[in-house]
Amino acid sequence: MEWKQAMKRIGIFIGLLLLLGCSEAPEQRLEVPFSLHFQGELIDANNCQVDSQGLDLNATPKPVVNAVTLYVHNVELQNHQGQWVRARLQGATEQAWHDEQIALLDLTPCQAEPVGGQALPLVLPKGQYQGLRFTLGVPEALNHQDPLQAKPPLDLPAFQWHWTVGYKFAFFDLAWRENSVKYHLGSSGCTGNIGETISCQYKNRPQVSLTHFQPGDKVALELRQFFTELPHARCFGKPQDKGCETLFNLIGLQQHEQRLFHVVD
Amino acid sequence: MWRWRNGFVAICGISLILSLLALWVGHQKQAASAKIELGRYLFYETGLSEGHSLACANCHQQMFAFSDGRKTAINVHGDKGRRNASALFNLAQNTSFTWANPLQTDLAFQALIPLFGDDPIEMAAGSVEQIQQRLASSSIDYTSLFVSAFGSSEINLARITDALAAFQSQLLAYDSRYDRYQAGQHDALTEFEKAGLALFESERFGCRQCHEGSNFNQFMGSRHNQATKNFHNTGLYYTETGYPSSDLGLYEVTFDAADRGKFKTPSLRNVGVSAPYMHDGSMRYLAQVVEHYARGGSVNLNGIKGDGKLNPNKSHLIKGFDMSEQEQNQLVAFLMTLTDETLLTDPRLAKPD
């Protein structure tokens, strides 16, 4: 009798342990939308009416945005104890714009078929958060792998940087008045062999930290600053490219604070 | 009786295995040649480009040893690029591909650059779906070509680049008059050409220092055939900033200042048909190339001010040498013997009809 009772208790105990072990810690979802701005004004589908010269028909002349895409990974939010908590990207969507780690954001307005998402669909342990940070780019471990075997969102040839065997972490193609901006950000100064290790002198993966972020806020990307006195700013990852200075400066590389992204509610 | 029977069974078994093996080997061979054939169709296929405007073969034409006869290549939009289209042959003997990129060590992978590159734009192939659509609407039966080569009709980039590489590996050029002379046919070269060969091999001219090996593209001092040893600044330019910023060569990939103006040593085979010369097509004639080396660098080449001879990054092997007019002509005559006519005319390498 005694013995049976004990067995029962042990059984219940084991059962409880199992239950605890298998049921996941409670999680919550958080969607973080991204949007494009020009001098603080939203660029959206209303900017799609351009005339034959590619000029915006709106009252305030906004830029023509041919492409803005970003790879984002290492997304973290800060809990109220001040710790940064890694978020997971919610299970792959039908369009497969992200896996658990990396998201491809396509912020180009006026596109019939965007190639990436416009928001980060995050999953976090339940809790209270503020502050958001993320890293731009493709993690080093994946950046130089065979793109022909790559899974979404790394399988798009347009964002593979074949000449330097990596990815275009950020891609900007803009025009405003007589000026144009073409920026490709990625790791450069690389050596090694395809299929083996490739390592790069300039990794160029800026971390964007938005400490004022509150759940429900949006992340705004301000484009005006890209247009400097250079009429045709260009940075395609070559040492002689004139536009790289501005891009690196604004995006938070080479000891600069990033000035492109900020929080709006 | 027993023994005899066992032996018989064993022989039957072995011959069955052997014939299966033979079948399998035959099958592999068939698949390999089907892949080459598919690669050939794809090499001549304009459907790999935006608006069906360019095939690989537009910039890599058989009659020019698979270069294009232009100073620099022209892309899908009709714009000129900054580099001379490479001639394509004996590609297995390249330690890296393109004029100045040691990262490009994989022939199949290299094809992604003309297909999708945007600096410069070349074929603007678009998305994989767009390529699939263009191939599907072609008059060529790609479905059966892919099935024969890969066992199923799926069209993807791994297969396309694999097949293109298989075809390009067939572009061999080891049958020039020079090769016949080397093989013992003494009258394959004239006395004049033989004199040119001797100059080419001479220490005074020093060409072999860099154009070594059976493909004339290897650095002599590199025992291990290291890719980086095959890049040199040959003193084409010396501008106020060092080298024309339109193309800084190896430096653009390595960001190492010592690599400014360094380019890969090209093969010298088929130079008789692959003019113009150098990474930017800046030299129209072989005589000009030889003069460049004799002087130890070029002055105001391509309309770009400056004396390349003084470029501090120039290889110490480009020293200049004295040369008579006769010697210049002899060297050029020798370089002309390196042409493999078969490469230029073989119908198996031509556009399929």
Side-chain angles (χ1 to χ4, degrees), chain A residues 27-44:
Chain A
E27 287 187 322
Q28 72 186 53
R29 291 179 173 190
L30 175 66
E31 175 121 324
V32 181
F34 279 63
S35 56
L36 285 187
H37 296 254
F38 190 76
Q39 284 173 336
E41 275 186 63
L42 186 69
I43 302 178
D44 59 9

Side-chain angles (χ1 to χ4, degrees), chain B residues 62-73:
Chain B
Q62 188 178 18
M63 63 174 180
F64 302 124
F66 296 92
S67 63
D68 67 358
R70 296 189 174 110
K71 195 170 167 181
T72 59

Side-chain angles (χ1 to χ4, degrees), chain A residues 30-247:
Chain A
L30 175 66
E31 175 121 324
V32 181
F34 279 63
S35 56
L36 285 187
H37 296 254
F38 190 76
Q39 284 173 336
E41 275 186 63
L42 186 69
I43 302 178
D44 59 9
N46 294 325
N47 285 85
C48 302
Q49 304 142 327
V50 289
D51 70 13
S52 56
Q53 264 105 49
L55 294 174
D56 194 317
L57 293 182
N58 285 304
T60 43
K62 288 185 187 168
V64 177
V65 179
N66 296 316
V68 173
T69 64
L70 307 166
Y71 278 111
V72 170
H73 68 285
N74 279 357
V75 185
E76 293 178 323
L77 277 94
Q78 198 170 29
N79 65 20
H80 283 189
Q81 287 80 52
Q83 293 156 324
W84 288 99
V85 178
R86 179 69 51 89
R88 180 160 65 74
L89 293 156
Q90 192 180 303
T93 58
E94 271 175 19
Q95 292 87 357
W97 290 329
H98 61 86
D99 61 12
E100 294 233 314
Q101 267 202 80
I102 311 164
L104 175 60
L105 295 173
D106 183 355
L107 306 180
T108 321
C110 322
Q111 278 207 111
E113 292 175 48
V115 294
Q118 290 78 47
L120 295 174
L122 305 181
V123 182
L124 290 145
K126 242 192 169 34
Q128 298 237 303
Y129 296 100
Q130 64 190 11
L132 168 77
R133 68 182 188 190
F134 53 84
T135 307
L136 288 176
V138 172
E140 192 160 10
L142 295 170
N143 194 39
H144 308 294
Q145 299 212 337
D146 184 354
L148 297 178
Q149 310 297 329
K151 304 227 156 41
L154 299 180
D155 61 337
L156 298 168
F159 306 111
Q160 293 163 358
W161 226 13
H162 300 114
W163 71 273
T164 183
V165 198
Y167 286 85
K168 296 169 196 161
F169 300 163
F171 186 113
F172 299 94
D173 184 345
L174 316 165
W176 182 55
R177 299 186 166 151
E178 271 77 58
N179 299 9
S180 69
V181 162
K182 288 181 200 288
Y183 291 145
H184 300 168
L185 179 74
S187 296
S188 54
C190 308
T191 52
N193 279 317
I194 292 181
E196 296 162 31
T197 29
I198 289 179
S199 51
C200 306
Q201 208 178 328
Y202 303 104
K203 301 189 187 302
N204 294 347
R205 288 184 191 83
Q207 191 186 50
V208 176
S209 191
L210 302 166
T211 44
H212 300 302
F213 177 87
Q214 299 287 337
D217 287 349
K218 287 181 182 170
V219 177
L221 171 45
E222 171 61 53
L223 298 175
R224 175 64 183 89
Q225 318 150 80
F226 277 150
F227 294 92
T228 56
E229 62 284 357
L230 266 186
H232 300 289
R234 202 181 100 120
C235 179
F236 281 180
K238 306 268 164 75
Q240 70 268 41
D241 289 342
K242 293 280 191 301
C244 295
E245 204 44 46
T246 309
L247 173 65

Side-chain angles (χ1 to χ4, degrees), chain B residues 89-97 105 215 217 264-265 267:
Chain B
F89 53 82
N90 304 348
L91 290 168
Q93 289 220 41
N94 274 306
T95 42
S96 68
F97 299 105
T105 49
N215 201 38
N217 65 343
K264 187 182 74 172
T265 310
S267 171

